[in-house]
Amino acid sequence: MSFNSILWCHPKLILLTALLLFASSLCTSVSEGELVGTTVSGGNFFTVSSFSYPETTIKPFDLRYIRVDIPPSFSAVSIALNSDVDLDLSRVDRIPKSSLPIICFRDGSPPLPDALNTTLKDSVVSGINDLDVEQCFPMQKNITMRLTNEQINRGSSYSFIANISVEACTNSMMKGVFCNSTVYPLSCTSSNVFKYYDLDATEVKKPMMENALTCKNNFETSCVQEGVPQFYSLDITNMAEELTITAANIRFNSTSSNSTSSADDFKLMCYARHGAIPSETSHDYSSDLSKSPLVIRAPQIGRLYISILPVNLAKTLDGTQDGNARVCYSMETQVVQCPLGKAGPNCTMDSYTLQTVLSRIPMPFESYYLPVGEVEMAESANFPLEPLSNNTMNQGGTDNIWTYFILDIPRGAAGRNIHVRLSSDVKINYEFYARFGGLPSLESWDYYYANKTRKSDESAFFMLYSSKDDNVDFYIIYAREGTWGFGLRHLNASGNSLKAQTAMSISLEGCPKHCSSHGDCRYSFDASGLTSYSFCSCDRNHGGFDCSVEIVSHKGHIVQSIFLIASNAAAMLPAYWALRQKAYAEWILFTSSGISSAIYHACDVGTWCPLTYNVLQFMDFWLSFMAVVSTFVYLASINETHKRAIHTAVAIFTALMAATKATRSSNIVLVFVLGAIGLLIGWLIEVSSKYRSLSFSFRFSPSFPQSLLTIKDWLYKLVMSLWRRFHWGFALAGFIALAMAATSWVLETSSTYWIWHSFWHVTIYTSSFFFLCSKASNVDAEEDQLPTTENYALARRDSFSRSES
């Protein structure tokens, strides 16, 4: 099994991760969550493998892949997933897919979340019990999953913990969800057979020796009841021309004395499925063996499961059912393999095994393929096609002429890509077909290229980069491990095509097109360390798994850079006012915040990075946090000693916030809370230091009306004190600018980030400027002059009188 997945996005905006599950034929990509494997109680099951993944946090641009190998005889895989993802499932369809955390599955190789279908309609279901293994689901807080052998269809930051277990039946012949179905392995014997083929209408039929594997059940005859299927398994280990399943000696068996049924009254249905147990509703091939054999052309390498099921048994004269009715039969299969160097229909086409040649690039699994015997003579990855295909074309007939190539993708290389190139000095006269585990044909293929209009457009794992008459260049993305069959179909075997010089190259590479020269190709391993995968780290202007998608044009990049950098000039407003009021600490903070934010965004857009990106990001967020808090503290009329103490305490808290999770949205609320606390502490210090001078005669009188007047008088003085403390027009403007800043923060998306974040710079600095201006300039002067009380005046007069005398 296998699994992988990759997504690219802007680092400050989008959190999307993927955790993947490979199975010898199953892959899953999980965007951060906790996976806990479960086992089925009882003596019928045992754990084949168990994998535990430690608690991990996935940040933007990070991916986590897990490969799970599942044997052909497995019974079920159970997964319970818990994560810290908190989505409103009722509104999940409104969340942009680019910012939606997801879990993906793919059979045999890494999934690509941006290529697979993301199902939203099933997102409200916490249990996933039936799925197409090339599919994605939105992540949820809790997901339970149980995949059985029958169900597998071949074909911000978050944290997670994973434990995955694979279960199999204790008895190797038992299969199914509850290990209650017996599967009989077919035993095979090999023999050579001669077949006669009319290779050319002008010649006599020629003999062709083939290898035939005849496979039978250990029991010569099997008897089955109505609705009770009999299961068999057959392992196909090599490329084969044909598989035939036949039933002989079919007879009806019933204990009813008046039964009139015969072999014509019922059907002996045969269902076949590659890699999983077949059923009436889920199978790859089917046939009524009582009428004709089941013939499978070019069967796929791997384990094939066969089900024999009688239908319409137990018919009697009076129309009643005979519960003892059975049908007996003898079943056998024959796998015909072509002789070495031959393949295709009637083994008349040429077939070549390609040998792996390691590339000089010091990267895991980087290699190219050449026909066996030509490695020593080859000077490059290209090899000529005409010497390999002329033998086939000269055998006669120009219709349906093929040349086949067979190669192996090594274990652990499922995160690599097959790169195919064709070039010719004339128009290319070949069609290309690829199939995993078998030879391709016009009816059976996984990927193909015929011409500019006929190609595998429906598959996101087939990437065409060049489609010219004399040059074709394409990739098969994240190719599955194992044997691949490639077929070149000759369009014209006469005339100028026989004189053409066509070169072909097949290589196993990392990043397609070397990330289109717009990024760096990086390599990593899945969680188990068993599979190496490659991915592109794109520059700021490009995206996509191969960096071929231009996110921002050159002109747009310049405009966005100017907006994001120049908008920090708004910091000059509060810095100027602080300098004018001789608030030097605030002046330094606002000036430094504007400069660091401008430099950080210059680095972020790829213009200039005087320091590392992480250092610049820390400075930007930390100084921004400090600037917000200092605006609040400035509004309190306290001396510089107390301000330094508050600034020091706030600097410690904000530095921790900026160093740990600077980009989380909750920091905005936390910073304003710290600012409000700083302002409150400043006012408390202010009141305590001037308690006597600001004290009001607030004593309750025994008379209730008099007490009300006292309270009213105190409230009036408090309101008047606040009214004189601020210029409320500036304060209102500050709140409006602050609301606009909050709105721009909410409206930020990956596509509009540059404009709304630039607007955020302007509005947040402007709001600070208005709040600084809102503090009345005469507050400090008024409060430095202690209010003259009556007792104080009398004391002054008494002192003066004595001196006079």
Side-chain angles (χ1 to χ4, degrees):
M1 290 176 119
S2 341
F3 74 94
N4 298 32
S5 156
I6 300 182
L7 249 299
W8 292 263
C9 28
H10 193 285
K12 292 185 67 175
L13 304 179
I14 300 175
L15 280 178
L16 182 59
T17 62
L19 162 69
L20 302 171
L21 273 166
F22 277 61
S24 71
S25 302
L26 171 67
C27 284
T28 66
S29 153
V30 182
S31 69
E32 307 128 281
E34 174 183 302
L35 287 154
V36 181
T38 61
T39 58
V40 181
S41 60
N44 293 333
F45 300 88
F46 73 97
T47 300
V48 177
S49 63
S50 180
F51 180 81
S52 179
Y53 199 89
E55 183 175 359
T56 304
T57 298
I58 299 183
K59 299 178 180 179
F61 284 101
D62 270 353
L63 301 169
R64 292 296 182 269
Y65 300 138
I66 299 178
R67 172 192 178 109
V68 180
D69 288 314
I70 298 180
S73 59
F74 88 101
S75 172
V77 179
S78 298
I79 300 172
L81 187 146
N82 301 311
S83 72
D84 59 0
V85 174
D86 189 13
L87 293 177
D88 184 358
L89 297 180
S90 62
R91 306 181 62 184
V92 70
D93 56 336
R94 303 179 186 178
I95 301 175
K97 289 186 178 181
S98 58
S99 58
L100 180 68
I102 59 176
I103 172 173
C104 297
F105 299 82
R106 190 177 182 221
D107 176 22
S109 64
L112 290 174
D114 48 351
L116 300 181
N117 176 43
T118 300
T119 299
L120 299 180
K121 63 180 181 179
D122 297 330
S123 61
V124 296
V125 182
S126 61
I128 302 175
N129 295 313
D130 189 14
L131 78 158
D132 180 347
V133 293
E134 289 201 1
Q135 199 167 4
C136 297
F137 298 89
M139 275 294 299
Q140 303 172 35
K141 210 172 224 353
N142 297 291
I143 292 179
T144 60
M145 189 178 305
R146 181 173 175 83
L147 305 178
T148 66
N149 190 292
E150 293 91 338
Q151 289 172 331
I152 289 186
N153 181 13
R154 311 273 169 179
S156 332
S157 64
Y158 304 98
S159 62
F160 69 90
I161 302 174
N163 294 295
I164 306 168
S165 63
V166 181
E167 301 154 6
C169 302
T170 305
N171 188 337
S172 61
M173 292 183 62
M174 304 300 291
K175 298 292 182 292
V177 182
F178 304 106
C179 291
N180 56 356
S181 300
T182 303
V183 177
Y184 298 98
L186 300 178
S187 56
C188 304
T189 58
S190 178
S191 61
N192 293 327
V193 296
F194 284 90
K195 290 189 177 181
Y196 291 87
Y197 300 109
D198 188 2
L199 300 179
D200 195 324
T202 63
E203 298 181 8
V204 183
K205 291 185 177 180
K206 297 181 180 180
M208 176 75 71
M209 186 179 70
E210 298 179 350
N211 176 266
L213 289 176
T214 302
C215 306
K216 299 180 180 180
N217 184 18
N218 292 332
F219 304 99
E220 290 187 3
T221 303
S222 299
C223 296
V224 189
Q225 286 182 314
E226 170 90 24
V228 180
Q230 191 86 308
F231 296 107
Y232 305 92
S233 64
L234 173 63
D235 289 327
I236 301 174
T237 57
N238 297 305
M239 293 286 186
E241 175 197 358
E242 185 178 276
L243 167 63
T244 304
I245 303 174
T246 60
N249 302 323
I250 302 175
R251 65 183 186 275
F252 184 75
N253 183 16
S254 176
T255 59
S256 175
S257 59
N258 60 350
S259 174
T260 60
S261 296
S262 66
D264 295 332
D265 296 328
F266 61 88
K267 296 180 180 179
L268 189 63
M269 295 302 301
C270 175
Y271 301 103
R273 190 178 182 193
H274 183 268
I277 294 177
S279 65
E280 294 181 75
T281 57
S282 182
H283 56 268
D284 298 331
Y285 311 95
S286 66
S287 177
D288 181 4
L289 296 186
S290 64
K291 303 296 188 296
S292 61
L294 174 59
V295 179
I296 302 175
R297 301 289 304 174
Q300 193 173 1
I301 293 176
R303 179 163 294 182
L304 186 74
Y305 288 93
I306 303 168
S307 171
I308 305 295
L309 179 65
V311 179
N312 297 332
L313 281 184
K315 288 186 177 180
T316 59
L317 287 174
D318 56 3
T320 60
Q321 294 285 72
D322 182 0
N324 296 318
R326 295 170 178 265
V327 62
C328 299
Y329 62 91
S330 298
M331 190 270 287
E332 75 172 27
T333 65
Q334 187 177 66
V335 182
V336 178
Q337 297 176 345
C338 296
L340 185 64
K342 292 297 180 180
N346 300 328
C347 297
T348 56
M349 307 300 171
D350 288 333
S351 175
Y352 299 91
T353 300
L354 298 183
Q355 180 178 346
T356 303
V357 182
L358 294 179
S359 174
R360 295 180 180 178
I361 302 176
M363 295 296 178
F365 302 109
E366 294 281 337
S367 57
Y368 56 91
Y369 295 87
L370 294 174
V372 174
E374 296 190 11
V375 176
E376 294 77 8
M377 300 179 294
E379 298 180 355
S380 66
N382 297 321
F383 59 90
L385 284 179
E386 278 70 28
L388 304 178
S389 59
N390 282 342
N391 291 336
T392 302
M393 291 186 292
N394 291 334
Q395 289 180 359
T398 59
D399 296 331
N400 206 28
I401 302 298
W402 293 72
T403 300
Y404 294 98
F405 300 94
I406 300 173
L407 60 85
D408 286 319
I409 302 298
R411 179 178 173 82
R416 292 295 184 274
N417 314 293
I418 298 177
H419 185 195
V420 179
R421 286 172 292 186
L422 290 170
S423 59
S424 177
D425 55 355
V426 295
K427 182 178 180 180
I428 295 176
N429 289 287
Y430 297 97
E431 293 180 351
F432 179 91
Y433 295 82
R435 186 180 178 214
F436 176 76
L439 294 176
S441 65
L442 293 177
E443 295 77 27
S444 180
W445 45 263
D446 293 327
Y447 308 99
Y448 80 100
Y449 174 84
N451 51 48
K452 296 179 181 180
T453 58
R454 293 176 52 235
K455 54 186 180 296
S456 296
D457 282 334
E458 69 281 358
S459 175
F461 295 92
F462 179 89
M463 297 301 301
L464 181 64
Y465 286 96
S466 177
S467 180
K468 301 177 182 178
D469 289 341
D470 58 350
N471 184 277
V472 178
D473 188 338
F474 59 85
Y475 284 81
I476 297 175
I477 306 299
Y478 285 169
R480 295 177 60 180
E481 303 168 0
T483 303
W484 282 80
F486 294 156
L488 288 177
R489 180 170 178 256
H490 303 252
L491 299 180
N492 186 3
S494 61
N496 294 332
S497 63
L498 297 176
K499 303 177 182 179
Q501 298 294 322
T502 306
M504 182 179 185
S505 70
I506 301 175
S507 56
L508 191 63
E509 300 179 2
C511 301
K513 250 352 188 183
H514 303 289
C515 299
S516 305
S517 301
H518 297 301
D520 298 324
C521 187
R522 299 184 180 179
Y523 298 85
S524 186
F525 288 88
D526 74 300
S528 64
L530 300 176
T531 301
S532 171
Y533 64 92
S534 60
F535 61 94
C536 288
S537 177
C538 305
D539 59 29
R540 303 293 176 180
N541 302 332
H542 295 83
F545 74 94
D546 59 351
C547 301
S548 62
V549 179
E550 186 181 50
I551 300 175
V552 183
S553 64
H554 179 68
K555 181 179 179 181
H557 175 77
I558 295 176
V559 172
Q560 295 185 17
S561 301
I562 293 174
F563 269 76
L564 286 169
I565 297 172
S567 59
N568 289 282
M572 295 173 61
L573 293 173
Y576 164 75
W577 185 259
L579 181 62
R580 181 178 178 181
Q581 300 300 314
K582 297 183 179 181
Y584 298 115
E586 287 79 1
W587 169 63
I588 293 175
L589 274 176
F590 285 112
T591 303
S592 302
S593 176
I595 293 174
S596 64
S597 180
I599 296 176
Y600 164 68
H601 283 286
C603 180
D604 189 40
V605 298
T607 303
W608 179 51
C609 294
L611 298 172
T612 63
Y613 181 84
N614 291 336
V615 171
L616 293 175
Q617 185 183 61
F618 168 79
M619 292 298 295
D620 175 35
F621 281 88
W622 180 51
L623 291 175
S624 298
F625 295 161
M626 284 295 298
V628 172
V629 176
S630 67
T631 301
F632 283 88
V633 177
Y634 175 81
L635 299 179
S637 298
I638 54 178
N639 57 40
E640 291 297 323
T641 302
H642 293 126
K643 282 186 178 180
R644 286 197 300 270
I646 296 176
H647 283 166
T648 301
V650 170
I652 296 173
F653 284 109
T654 53
L656 290 174
M657 293 164 54
T660 52
K661 294 183 179 180
T663 58
R664 59 184 176 185
S665 300
S666 58
N667 280 346
I668 300 298
V669 178
L670 189 57
V671 166
F672 281 100
V673 171
L674 285 176
I677 293 175
L679 178 58
L680 179 60
I681 293 175
W683 280 350
L684 291 176
I685 295 174
E686 191 179 327
V687 170
S688 64
S689 63
K690 304 180 184 297
Y691 176 78
R692 293 182 180 178
S693 60
L694 296 180
S695 62
F696 305 110
S697 298
F698 185 63
R699 292 185 296 271
F700 285 100
S701 173
S703 173
F704 180 73
Q706 185 64 33
S707 298
L708 290 178
L709 291 175
T710 303
I711 295 173
K712 181 179 179 181
D713 182 62
W714 182 84
L715 290 175
Y716 174 76
K717 292 180 179 180
L718 177 63
V719 171
M720 293 304 298
S721 176
L722 292 175
W723 181 260
R724 290 192 300 269
R725 177 177 290 272
F726 298 105
H727 297 299
W728 289 99
F730 284 111
L732 178 61
F735 282 114
I736 294 174
L738 186 61
M740 295 171 67
T743 302
S744 65
W745 180 272
V746 172
L747 293 177
E748 284 184 11
T749 64
S750 57
S751 58
T752 61
Y753 169 78
W754 65 279
I755 183 64
W756 287 116
H757 198 72
S758 301
F759 190 67
W760 156 267
H761 288 158
V762 175
T763 51
I764 197 67
Y765 284 127
T766 303
S767 66
S768 294
F769 169 72
F770 284 133
F771 282 129
L772 294 180
C773 294
S774 68
K775 181 180 179 181
S777 59
N778 61 342
V779 170
D780 293 334
E782 290 178 357
E783 293 181 350
D784 285 341
Q785 299 175 359
L786 297 178
T788 304
T789 64
E790 182 179 358
N791 292 334
Y792 185 79
L794 288 174
R796 291 283 295 170
R797 286 199 298 270
D798 290 343
S799 178
F800 182 78
S801 300
R802 292 190 187 97
S803 63
E804 286 288 331
S805 62

